[in-house]
Amino acid sequence: MEKSTTKTSFFTKDRGFYKTLFSMMIVVALQNLVAYSVNMADNIMLGGYNQAALSGAATVNQIFFMVQQVALAIGNSLVVLASQYWGEQRVQPIRTLTGIALKLGLICSIIIIALCLFIPRPILMLFTTDPQIIEEGLGYLSLIQWTFILFIITNILMAALRSVGTVKISFYTSVVSLIVNVAINYTLIFGHFGFPEMGVKGAAIGTFVARIIEFVIVLVYMIKIDKKLCLFSGGLFHISPQLRKDYTKVTVPVMLSQVLWGVSVPMQTAILGHLSADAIAANSVATTFYQYLKVIVIAMSSTCSVMIGNAIGRGKMERIKSDGRTLSVITVIIGLILGIILFLLRYPLLSFYNLSEEATRLAINLISIMSVVMVGMSYQMPVSYGIIQGGGDAKFNMAMNMISTWAIVMPLSFMAAFWWKLPVELVVLCIQSDQIFKGLPTFIRFRSYKWIKKLTNTENNA
């Protein structure tokens, strides 16, 4: 790693850095917001249809959440390596790494779909015992499960494009997907324009068609338009033991980190689901709004990962450090803004839903709690997943998630719900407390700069 002989300021003063940062972050944030709106459309329209349909879809979305974690793990691992190669302006290794990621995504998709096909009811019963919610969920899952493979493959391709700085196509794809999904939802959930009233199954059809369109648009773009990666010009499925080894070294801790954290989230939802029907509905609504703003933080994480990876590829140590410090401060400012927005909009947002009086009261309190949690999450996620993991240190997040989530948060949440029998609001506070426990170790690790690791290999020039 090259060391600069000139003194570097604490924050980066390069205007090009900020232009790249905010232009990429805004586009990725918009893409994430629109992409999340595909599920949000199901949530809002089913919320206006009836509470059982809403809760059924929300239960299935816990499975989809795990699919997202798998897609994120595979895609983020690709970005960690590919962005460093792009910093060196070496494209061929990126193509081969993308092929490796696609093969892994296909295997994971088949396993998840098989589980949904053969044991759907036992899976849903992990999250709720309400028979009506389970029946609604089964109807939704029967079609949604086939979107999982499309979602994973599409997101791997988008990750490959993101690693070379191409992000606008993801936004355009998501806009088209959202329009299609909303149009079909409006038509089939409520039975407009002479179509049958299908309820939760209508929402599933809308999401299914939207996922197909996403996949087709990204594939056509990569074949016909992309000039940076030229993915299908050769080398996509080139066999490279060294690259497979490098990718595995990154993917294993990243996958474990995502899965360890991801498994805990449906389990946390299951805790609330076993408390009352009002609790699961209120948590579904509160989490939806929280996740809607969280996509901006995820965009910041993705942008940090690409920028830090590119910087490491270029090899200037002091600039990497100043870029990291600048990014970490910006994340705190963004978190404060998002927390205030969430708190102020809690009443207007709840007006979209047809909930019971108790579920509405709980939702208001839960959103208030989430607005505070948002600030902590907005620091630790971009720094730990974006800067530290993006800088090549994938093992730190795995260790942190194992300790904070499984040694502290999960036992605390179970005791709060079933032993101490605390109110729903306090149970949710315990569930979200990982943002507190992760903050300090993330800061300490970041300031050590031991996360800066060059992962590219000079052997991979083919």
PDB file of all heavy atoms in Angstrom, residues 290 293-294 296-298 300-301 327-328 330-339 372-383 435:
ATOM      1  N   TYR A 290     -39.909   2.583   9.001  1.00  0.00           N
ATOM      2  CA  TYR A 290     -38.502   2.569   9.400  1.00  0.00           C
ATOM      3  C   TYR A 290     -37.625   2.060   8.248  1.00  0.00           C
ATOM      4  O   TYR A 290     -36.599   2.665   7.911  1.00  0.00           O
ATOM      5  CB  TYR A 290     -38.353   1.686  10.638  1.00  0.00           C
ATOM      6  CG  TYR A 290     -36.938   1.454  11.118  1.00  0.00           C
ATOM      7  CD1 TYR A 290     -36.246   2.439  11.813  1.00  0.00           C
ATOM      8  CD2 TYR A 290     -36.306   0.228  10.909  1.00  0.00           C
ATOM      9  CE1 TYR A 290     -34.959   2.221  12.276  1.00  0.00           C
ATOM     10  CE2 TYR A 290     -35.027  -0.004  11.370  1.00  0.00           C
ATOM     11  CZ  TYR A 290     -34.353   0.996  12.050  1.00  0.00           C
ATOM     12  OH  TYR A 290     -33.083   0.768  12.511  1.00  0.00           O
ATOM     13  N   LEU A 293     -37.092   4.576   5.289  1.00  0.00           N
ATOM     14  CA  LEU A 293     -36.000   5.534   5.446  1.00  0.00           C
ATOM     15  C   LEU A 293     -34.641   4.831   5.551  1.00  0.00           C
ATOM     16  O   LEU A 293     -33.611   5.397   5.174  1.00  0.00           O
ATOM     17  CB  LEU A 293     -36.233   6.394   6.689  1.00  0.00           C
ATOM     18  CG  LEU A 293     -37.405   7.379   6.600  1.00  0.00           C
ATOM     19  CD1 LEU A 293     -37.544   8.163   7.895  1.00  0.00           C
ATOM     20  CD2 LEU A 293     -37.223   8.346   5.431  1.00  0.00           C
ATOM     21  N   LYS A 294     -34.662   3.611   6.031  1.00  0.00           N
ATOM     22  CA  LYS A 294     -33.414   2.852   6.172  1.00  0.00           C
ATOM     23  C   LYS A 294     -32.741   2.619   4.825  1.00  0.00           C
ATOM     24  O   LYS A 294     -31.517   2.487   4.751  1.00  0.00           O
ATOM     25  CB  LYS A 294     -33.691   1.515   6.862  1.00  0.00           C
ATOM     26  CG  LYS A 294     -32.441   0.682   7.127  1.00  0.00           C
ATOM     27  CD  LYS A 294     -32.818  -0.620   7.820  1.00  0.00           C
ATOM     28  CE  LYS A 294     -31.597  -1.509   8.021  1.00  0.00           C
ATOM     29  NZ  LYS A 294     -31.942  -2.784   8.686  1.00  0.00           N
ATOM     30  N   ILE A 296     -32.134   4.654   2.646  1.00  0.00           N
ATOM     31  CA  ILE A 296     -31.180   5.742   2.417  1.00  0.00           C
ATOM     32  C   ILE A 296     -29.853   5.406   3.102  1.00  0.00           C
ATOM     33  O   ILE A 296     -28.766   5.656   2.558  1.00  0.00           O
ATOM     34  CB  ILE A 296     -31.744   7.076   2.938  1.00  0.00           C
ATOM     35  CG1 ILE A 296     -33.045   7.417   2.211  1.00  0.00           C
ATOM     36  CG2 ILE A 296     -30.717   8.201   2.769  1.00  0.00           C
ATOM     37  CD1 ILE A 296     -33.758   8.638   2.751  1.00  0.00           C
ATOM     38  N   VAL A 297     -29.932   4.829   4.288  1.00  0.00           N
ATOM     39  CA  VAL A 297     -28.722   4.418   5.010  1.00  0.00           C
ATOM     40  C   VAL A 297     -28.035   3.275   4.264  1.00  0.00           C
ATOM     41  O   VAL A 297     -26.800   3.225   4.171  1.00  0.00           O
ATOM     42  CB  VAL A 297     -29.079   3.984   6.445  1.00  0.00           C
ATOM     43  CG1 VAL A 297     -27.826   3.575   7.209  1.00  0.00           C
ATOM     44  CG2 VAL A 297     -29.804   5.107   7.181  1.00  0.00           C
ATOM     45  N   ILE A 298     -28.828   2.361   3.729  1.00  0.00           N
ATOM     46  CA  ILE A 298     -28.266   1.268   2.944  1.00  0.00           C
ATOM     47  C   ILE A 298     -27.551   1.819   1.711  1.00  0.00           C
ATOM     48  O   ILE A 298     -26.488   1.333   1.316  1.00  0.00           O
ATOM     49  CB  ILE A 298     -29.368   0.271   2.530  1.00  0.00           C
ATOM     50  CG1 ILE A 298     -29.939  -0.421   3.773  1.00  0.00           C
ATOM     51  CG2 ILE A 298     -28.834  -0.767   1.543  1.00  0.00           C
ATOM     52  CD1 ILE A 298     -31.150  -1.290   3.491  1.00  0.00           C
ATOM     53  N   MET A 300     -26.120   4.721   1.532  1.00  0.00           N
ATOM     54  CA  MET A 300     -24.869   5.295   2.028  1.00  0.00           C
ATOM     55  C   MET A 300     -23.842   4.187   2.249  1.00  0.00           C
ATOM     56  O   MET A 300     -22.657   4.346   1.937  1.00  0.00           O
ATOM     57  CB  MET A 300     -25.125   6.056   3.331  1.00  0.00           C
ATOM     58  CG  MET A 300     -23.919   6.821   3.856  1.00  0.00           C
ATOM     59  SD  MET A 300     -23.422   8.177   2.768  1.00  0.00           S
ATOM     60  CE  MET A 300     -21.950   8.757   3.590  1.00  0.00           C
ATOM     61  N   SER A 301     -24.290   3.058   2.787  1.00  0.00           N
ATOM     62  CA  SER A 301     -23.391   1.924   3.007  1.00  0.00           C
ATOM     63  C   SER A 301     -22.815   1.426   1.689  1.00  0.00           C
ATOM     64  O   SER A 301     -21.614   1.169   1.575  1.00  0.00           O
ATOM     65  CB  SER A 301     -24.137   0.781   3.706  1.00  0.00           C
ATOM     66  OG  SER A 301     -24.625   1.182   4.965  1.00  0.00           O
ATOM     67  N   LEU A 327     -16.612  10.284   5.455  1.00  0.00           N
ATOM     68  CA  LEU A 327     -17.828   9.486   5.286  1.00  0.00           C
ATOM     69  C   LEU A 327     -18.501   9.201   6.628  1.00  0.00           C
ATOM     70  O   LEU A 327     -19.727   9.254   6.746  1.00  0.00           O
ATOM     71  CB  LEU A 327     -17.497   8.176   4.578  1.00  0.00           C
ATOM     72  CG  LEU A 327     -17.058   8.286   3.105  1.00  0.00           C
ATOM     73  CD1 LEU A 327     -16.511   6.954   2.606  1.00  0.00           C
ATOM     74  CD2 LEU A 327     -18.216   8.748   2.236  1.00  0.00           C
ATOM     75  N   SER A 328     -17.702   8.916   7.667  1.00  0.00           N
ATOM     76  CA  SER A 328     -18.276   8.568   8.975  1.00  0.00           C
ATOM     77  C   SER A 328     -19.031   9.743   9.593  1.00  0.00           C
ATOM     78  O   SER A 328     -20.062   9.557  10.244  1.00  0.00           O
ATOM     79  CB  SER A 328     -17.182   8.079   9.926  1.00  0.00           C
ATOM     80  OG  SER A 328     -16.286   9.134  10.267  1.00  0.00           O
ATOM     81  N   ILE A 330     -20.447  12.268   7.851  1.00  0.00           N
ATOM     82  CA  ILE A 330     -21.639  12.493   7.021  1.00  0.00           C
ATOM     83  C   ILE A 330     -22.758  11.534   7.405  1.00  0.00           C
ATOM     84  O   ILE A 330     -23.938  11.905   7.423  1.00  0.00           O
ATOM     85  CB  ILE A 330     -21.276  12.355   5.527  1.00  0.00           C
ATOM     86  CG1 ILE A 330     -20.381  13.519   5.096  1.00  0.00           C
ATOM     87  CG2 ILE A 330     -22.538  12.321   4.656  1.00  0.00           C
ATOM     88  CD1 ILE A 330     -19.837  13.396   3.679  1.00  0.00           C
ATOM     89  N   THR A 331     -22.418  10.304   7.770  1.00  0.00           N
ATOM     90  CA  THR A 331     -23.447   9.327   8.143  1.00  0.00           C
ATOM     91  C   THR A 331     -24.207   9.760   9.397  1.00  0.00           C
ATOM     92  O   THR A 331     -25.415   9.532   9.513  1.00  0.00           O
ATOM     93  CB  THR A 331     -22.837   7.933   8.387  1.00  0.00           C
ATOM     94  OG1 THR A 331     -21.916   7.986   9.478  1.00  0.00           O
ATOM     95  CG2 THR A 331     -22.129   7.419   7.153  1.00  0.00           C
ATOM     96  N   VAL A 332     -23.508  10.364  10.350  1.00  0.00           N
ATOM     97  CA  VAL A 332     -24.160  10.840  11.579  1.00  0.00           C
ATOM     98  C   VAL A 332     -25.160  11.950  11.254  1.00  0.00           C
ATOM     99  O   VAL A 332     -26.290  11.964  11.766  1.00  0.00           O
ATOM    100  CB  VAL A 332     -23.122  11.341  12.601  1.00  0.00           C
ATOM    101  CG1 VAL A 332     -23.813  11.936  13.821  1.00  0.00           C
ATOM    102  CG2 VAL A 332     -22.208  10.206  13.030  1.00  0.00           C
ATOM    103  N   ILE A 333     -24.764  12.881  10.404  1.00  0.00           N
ATOM    104  CA  ILE A 333     -25.656  13.982  10.014  1.00  0.00           C
ATOM    105  C   ILE A 333     -26.903  13.438   9.320  1.00  0.00           C
ATOM    106  O   ILE A 333     -28.030  13.855   9.610  1.00  0.00           O
ATOM    107  CB  ILE A 333     -24.906  14.965   9.091  1.00  0.00           C
ATOM    108  CG1 ILE A 333     -23.737  15.610   9.844  1.00  0.00           C
ATOM    109  CG2 ILE A 333     -25.856  16.031   8.562  1.00  0.00           C
ATOM    110  CD1 ILE A 333     -22.818  16.425   8.961  1.00  0.00           C
ATOM    111  N   ILE A 334     -26.713  12.492   8.424  1.00  0.00           N
ATOM    112  CA  ILE A 334     -27.845  11.875   7.721  1.00  0.00           C
ATOM    113  C   ILE A 334     -28.776  11.183   8.711  1.00  0.00           C
ATOM    114  O   ILE A 334     -30.002  11.265   8.606  1.00  0.00           O
ATOM    115  CB  ILE A 334     -27.335  10.883   6.660  1.00  0.00           C
ATOM    116  CG1 ILE A 334     -26.668  11.645   5.506  1.00  0.00           C
ATOM    117  CG2 ILE A 334     -28.492  10.016   6.121  1.00  0.00           C
ATOM    118  CD1 ILE A 334     -26.019  10.754   4.469  1.00  0.00           C
ATOM    119  N   GLY A 335     -28.203  10.491   9.697  1.00  0.00           N
ATOM    120  CA  GLY A 335     -29.009   9.792  10.697  1.00  0.00           C
ATOM    121  C   GLY A 335     -29.894  10.727  11.504  1.00  0.00           C
ATOM    122  O   GLY A 335     -31.065  10.422  11.761  1.00  0.00           O
ATOM    123  N   LEU A 336     -29.358  11.863  11.904  1.00  0.00           N
ATOM    124  CA  LEU A 336     -30.146  12.848  12.657  1.00  0.00           C
ATOM    125  C   LEU A 336     -31.318  13.369  11.824  1.00  0.00           C
ATOM    126  O   LEU A 336     -32.442  13.498  12.316  1.00  0.00           O
ATOM    127  CB  LEU A 336     -29.245  14.009  13.083  1.00  0.00           C
ATOM    128  CG  LEU A 336     -28.221  13.704  14.187  1.00  0.00           C
ATOM    129  CD1 LEU A 336     -27.223  14.847  14.312  1.00  0.00           C
ATOM    130  CD2 LEU A 336     -28.927  13.452  15.518  1.00  0.00           C
ATOM    131  N   ILE A 337     -31.060  13.640  10.562  1.00  0.00           N
ATOM    132  CA  ILE A 337     -32.121  14.134   9.673  1.00  0.00           C
ATOM    133  C   ILE A 337     -33.216  13.087   9.507  1.00  0.00           C
ATOM    134  O   ILE A 337     -34.410  13.392   9.613  1.00  0.00           O
ATOM    135  CB  ILE A 337     -31.530  14.526   8.303  1.00  0.00           C
ATOM    136  CG1 ILE A 337     -30.586  15.727   8.454  1.00  0.00           C
ATOM    137  CG2 ILE A 337     -32.646  14.843   7.304  1.00  0.00           C
ATOM    138  CD1 ILE A 337     -29.794  16.043   7.199  1.00  0.00           C
ATOM    139  N   LEU A 338     -32.830  11.840   9.273  1.00  0.00           N
ATOM    140  CA  LEU A 338     -33.810  10.771   9.065  1.00  0.00           C
ATOM    141  C   LEU A 338     -34.639  10.511  10.321  1.00  0.00           C
ATOM    142  O   LEU A 338     -35.850  10.264  10.244  1.00  0.00           O
ATOM    143  CB  LEU A 338     -33.101   9.487   8.632  1.00  0.00           C
ATOM    144  CG  LEU A 338     -32.409   9.513   7.264  1.00  0.00           C
ATOM    145  CD1 LEU A 338     -31.739   8.174   6.985  1.00  0.00           C
ATOM    146  CD2 LEU A 338     -33.395   9.845   6.155  1.00  0.00           C
ATOM    147  N   GLY A 339     -33.991  10.539  11.494  1.00  0.00           N
ATOM    148  CA  GLY A 339     -34.712  10.324  12.744  1.00  0.00           C
ATOM    149  C   GLY A 339     -35.781  11.374  12.975  1.00  0.00           C
ATOM    150  O   GLY A 339     -36.904  11.065  13.393  1.00  0.00           O
ATOM    151  N   VAL A 372     -35.522   7.185  17.153  1.00  0.00           N
ATOM    152  CA  VAL A 372     -34.286   7.309  17.939  1.00  0.00           C
ATOM    153  C   VAL A 372     -33.266   6.259  17.492  1.00  0.00           C
ATOM    154  O   VAL A 372     -32.075   6.548  17.321  1.00  0.00           O
ATOM    155  CB  VAL A 372     -34.582   7.152  19.446  1.00  0.00           C
ATOM    156  CG1 VAL A 372     -33.290   7.210  20.250  1.00  0.00           C
ATOM    157  CG2 VAL A 372     -35.548   8.236  19.915  1.00  0.00           C
ATOM    158  N   VAL A 373     -33.747   5.036  17.264  1.00  0.00           N
ATOM    159  CA  VAL A 373     -32.871   3.952  16.816  1.00  0.00           C
ATOM    160  C   VAL A 373     -32.223   4.304  15.476  1.00  0.00           C
ATOM    161  O   VAL A 373     -31.070   3.946  15.207  1.00  0.00           O
ATOM    162  CB  VAL A 373     -33.691   2.644  16.689  1.00  0.00           C
ATOM    163  CG1 VAL A 373     -32.873   1.549  16.009  1.00  0.00           C
ATOM    164  CG2 VAL A 373     -34.160   2.181  18.065  1.00  0.00           C
ATOM    165  N   MET A 374     -32.970   5.031  14.642  1.00  0.00           N
ATOM    166  CA  MET A 374     -32.494   5.397  13.313  1.00  0.00           C
ATOM    167  C   MET A 374     -31.137   6.121  13.358  1.00  0.00           C
ATOM    168  O   MET A 374     -30.269   5.902  12.511  1.00  0.00           O
ATOM    169  CB  MET A 374     -33.534   6.295  12.628  1.00  0.00           C
ATOM    170  CG  MET A 374     -33.153   6.812  11.251  1.00  0.00           C
ATOM    171  SD  MET A 374     -33.083   5.529   9.994  1.00  0.00           S
ATOM    172  CE  MET A 374     -34.827   5.149   9.828  1.00  0.00           C
ATOM    173  N   VAL A 375     -30.936   6.966  14.363  1.00  0.00           N
ATOM    174  CA  VAL A 375     -29.698   7.739  14.457  1.00  0.00           C
ATOM    175  C   VAL A 375     -28.496   6.819  14.669  1.00  0.00           C
ATOM    176  O   VAL A 375     -27.471   6.930  13.981  1.00  0.00           O
ATOM    177  CB  VAL A 375     -29.782   8.784  15.593  1.00  0.00           C
ATOM    178  CG1 VAL A 375     -28.483   9.579  15.676  1.00  0.00           C
ATOM    179  CG2 VAL A 375     -30.973   9.711  15.380  1.00  0.00           C
ATOM    180  N   GLY A 376     -28.621   5.880  15.624  1.00  0.00           N
ATOM    181  CA  GLY A 376     -27.521   4.951  15.888  1.00  0.00           C
ATOM    182  C   GLY A 376     -27.242   4.046  14.701  1.00  0.00           C
ATOM    183  O   GLY A 376     -26.082   3.808  14.342  1.00  0.00           O
ATOM    184  N   MET A 377     -28.314   3.557  14.093  1.00  0.00           N
ATOM    185  CA  MET A 377     -28.165   2.668  12.945  1.00  0.00           C
ATOM    186  C   MET A 377     -27.501   3.370  11.771  1.00  0.00           C
ATOM    187  O   MET A 377     -26.714   2.776  11.023  1.00  0.00           O
ATOM    188  CB  MET A 377     -29.540   2.131  12.545  1.00  0.00           C
ATOM    189  CG  MET A 377     -29.535   1.113  11.413  1.00  0.00           C
ATOM    190  SD  MET A 377     -29.751   1.895   9.800  1.00  0.00           S
ATOM    191  CE  MET A 377     -31.407   2.520   9.966  1.00  0.00           C
ATOM    192  N   SER A 378     -27.796   4.671  11.609  1.00  0.00           N
ATOM    193  CA  SER A 378     -27.255   5.429  10.483  1.00  0.00           C
ATOM    194  C   SER A 378     -25.743   5.641  10.590  1.00  0.00           C
ATOM    195  O   SER A 378     -25.085   5.923   9.586  1.00  0.00           O
ATOM    196  CB  SER A 378     -27.950   6.790  10.374  1.00  0.00           C
ATOM    197  OG  SER A 378     -29.317   6.625  10.080  1.00  0.00           O
ATOM    198  N   TYR A 379     -25.206   5.520  11.794  1.00  0.00           N
ATOM    199  CA  TYR A 379     -23.744   5.578  11.940  1.00  0.00           C
ATOM    200  C   TYR A 379     -23.128   4.201  11.779  1.00  0.00           C
ATOM    201  O   TYR A 379     -22.227   3.995  10.958  1.00  0.00           O
ATOM    202  CB  TYR A 379     -23.344   6.154  13.306  1.00  0.00           C
ATOM    203  CG  TYR A 379     -21.860   5.984  13.571  1.00  0.00           C
ATOM    204  CD1 TYR A 379     -20.939   6.824  12.956  1.00  0.00           C
ATOM    205  CD2 TYR A 379     -21.389   4.960  14.394  1.00  0.00           C
ATOM    206  CE1 TYR A 379     -19.567   6.647  13.158  1.00  0.00           C
ATOM    207  CE2 TYR A 379     -20.028   4.781  14.606  1.00  0.00           C
ATOM    208  CZ  TYR A 379     -19.127   5.630  13.988  1.00  0.00           C
ATOM    209  OH  TYR A 379     -17.778   5.452  14.175  1.00  0.00           O
ATOM    210  N   GLN A 380     -23.615   3.242  12.548  1.00  0.00           N
ATOM    211  CA  GLN A 380     -22.906   1.975  12.611  1.00  0.00           C
ATOM    212  C   GLN A 380     -23.018   1.160  11.320  1.00  0.00           C
ATOM    213  O   GLN A 380     -22.069   0.470  10.939  1.00  0.00           O
ATOM    214  CB  GLN A 380     -23.364   1.146  13.829  1.00  0.00           C
ATOM    215  CG  GLN A 380     -24.718   0.490  13.756  1.00  0.00           C
ATOM    216  CD  GLN A 380     -24.707  -0.850  13.051  1.00  0.00           C
ATOM    217  OE1 GLN A 380     -23.661  -1.446  12.845  1.00  0.00           O
ATOM    218  NE2 GLN A 380     -25.899  -1.321  12.668  1.00  0.00           N
ATOM    219  N   MET A 381     -24.128   1.241  10.601  1.00  0.00           N
ATOM    220  CA  MET A 381     -24.257   0.427   9.389  1.00  0.00           C
ATOM    221  C   MET A 381     -23.331   0.895   8.256  1.00  0.00           C
ATOM    222  O   MET A 381     -22.583   0.084   7.698  1.00  0.00           O
ATOM    223  CB  MET A 381     -25.705   0.377   8.908  1.00  0.00           C
ATOM    224  CG  MET A 381     -25.889  -0.470   7.647  1.00  0.00           C
ATOM    225  SD  MET A 381     -27.600  -0.613   7.105  1.00  0.00           S
ATOM    226  CE  MET A 381     -28.222  -1.765   8.332  1.00  0.00           C
ATOM    227  N   PRO A 382     -23.341   2.201   7.884  1.00  0.00           N
ATOM    228  CA  PRO A 382     -22.421   2.620   6.826  1.00  0.00           C
ATOM    229  C   PRO A 382     -20.938   2.456   7.196  1.00  0.00           C
ATOM    230  O   PRO A 382     -20.119   2.171   6.335  1.00  0.00           O
ATOM    231  CB  PRO A 382     -22.768   4.099   6.614  1.00  0.00           C
ATOM    232  CG  PRO A 382     -24.162   4.242   7.104  1.00  0.00           C
ATOM    233  CD  PRO A 382     -24.252   3.299   8.260  1.00  0.00           C
ATOM    234  N   VAL A 383     -20.633   2.653   8.488  1.00  0.00           N
ATOM    235  CA  VAL A 383     -19.229   2.532   8.893  1.00  0.00           C
ATOM    236  C   VAL A 383     -18.803   1.065   8.949  1.00  0.00           C
ATOM    237  O   VAL A 383     -17.747   0.691   8.432  1.00  0.00           O
ATOM    238  CB  VAL A 383     -18.984   3.221  10.252  1.00  0.00           C
ATOM    239  CG1 VAL A 383     -17.548   2.971  10.724  1.00  0.00           C
ATOM    240  CG2 VAL A 383     -19.237   4.721  10.138  1.00  0.00           C
ATOM    241  N   GLN A 435     -28.355  -1.639  17.989  1.00  0.00           N
ATOM    242  CA  GLN A 435     -27.748  -0.423  17.441  1.00  0.00           C
ATOM    243  C   GLN A 435     -26.908   0.302  18.501  1.00  0.00           C
ATOM    244  O   GLN A 435     -25.960   1.014  18.173  1.00  0.00           O
ATOM    245  CB  GLN A 435     -28.841   0.513  16.908  1.00  0.00           C
ATOM    246  CG  GLN A 435     -29.757  -0.114  15.873  1.00  0.00           C
ATOM    247  CD  GLN A 435     -29.009  -0.679  14.680  1.00  0.00           C
ATOM    248  OE1 GLN A 435     -27.922  -0.221  14.351  1.00  0.00           O
ATOM    249  NE2 GLN A 435     -29.574  -1.683  14.029  1.00  0.00           N
TER     250      GLN A 435
END
